[in-house]
Amino acid sequence: MAGEVLVVGDVAADVRAAVTGVVTALEDAFNRKDAAALGAQFGERASWTNARGLRLDGRAAIAEFSRPAMESFLRDSYARYEVVKLLAIAEDVVAVNVAQTPTDASGTPVEGPHGAALYVVARQADGWRIVAGQNNAVDAPSAG
């Protein structure tokens, strides 16, 4: 994750690091095709809508869906996740805008659908976790 992050509201440095760490761990889990590690980034009662518009409720459902998806249609998909904005919503709750760039397995950008995700990350009993979010497929940004 590189580039300037827009921070709106009071997001302390330690919170910023924790929230960014969740995004980094999610990216790593996706690229390793590790559904359990991916699911662990979500809260127990999280609500997630994937890029195909399917809503999944709960950490277990997210991991359960992800396992076969990563073994089939996402098997050869990799991405770089870049935090572009942090918005303080309430104490211990931050909205995170993430730009997703398709890559090959080595991390080199490739042609393909990009993503724009919104994660709501909150401090939970077991650490910072995504409690709600949506992933959207978007056209690649223009080069001009």
Side-chain angles (χ1 to χ4, degrees):
M1 284 179 281
E4 190 66 28
V5 176
L6 174 62
V7 179
V8 179
D10 185 21
V11 182
D14 63 324
V15 172
R16 182 176 174 168
V19 169
T20 301
V22 170
V23 175
T24 300
L26 190 70
E27 173 187 5
D28 181 63
F30 176 78
N31 287 330
R32 288 186 297 111
K33 308 306 176 207
D34 184 339
L38 185 135
Q41 301 315 306
F42 290 86
E44 286 291 335
R45 299 182 320 154
S47 181
W48 174 250
T49 303
N50 69 19
R52 292 185 169 187
L54 177 65
R55 192 185 77 230
L56 302 163
D57 292 316
R59 179 186 289 167
I62 293 164
E64 184 177 305
F65 172 84
S66 297
R67 189 173 336 285
M70 287 194 247
E71 292 172 355
S72 60
F73 69 91
L74 293 175
R75 178 183 63 246
D76 297 319
S77 296
Y78 302 91
R80 180 182 314 140
Y81 295 6
E82 180 183 1
V83 173
V84 294
K85 181 179 178 182
L86 299 173
L87 169 66
I89 295 176
E91 186 175 346
D92 294 336
V93 182
V94 179
V96 184
N97 291 103
V98 176
Q100 300 165 332
T101 302
T103 69
D104 63 18
S106 70
T108 302
V110 297
E111 294 293 322
H114 284 62
L118 173 64
Y119 308 142
V120 177
V121 180
R123 187 185 314 260
Q124 306 281 280
D126 61 346
W128 288 88
R129 301 288 181 252
I130 299 167
V131 295
Q134 182 162 340
N135 193 20
N136 298 291
V138 297
D139 292 332
S142 63

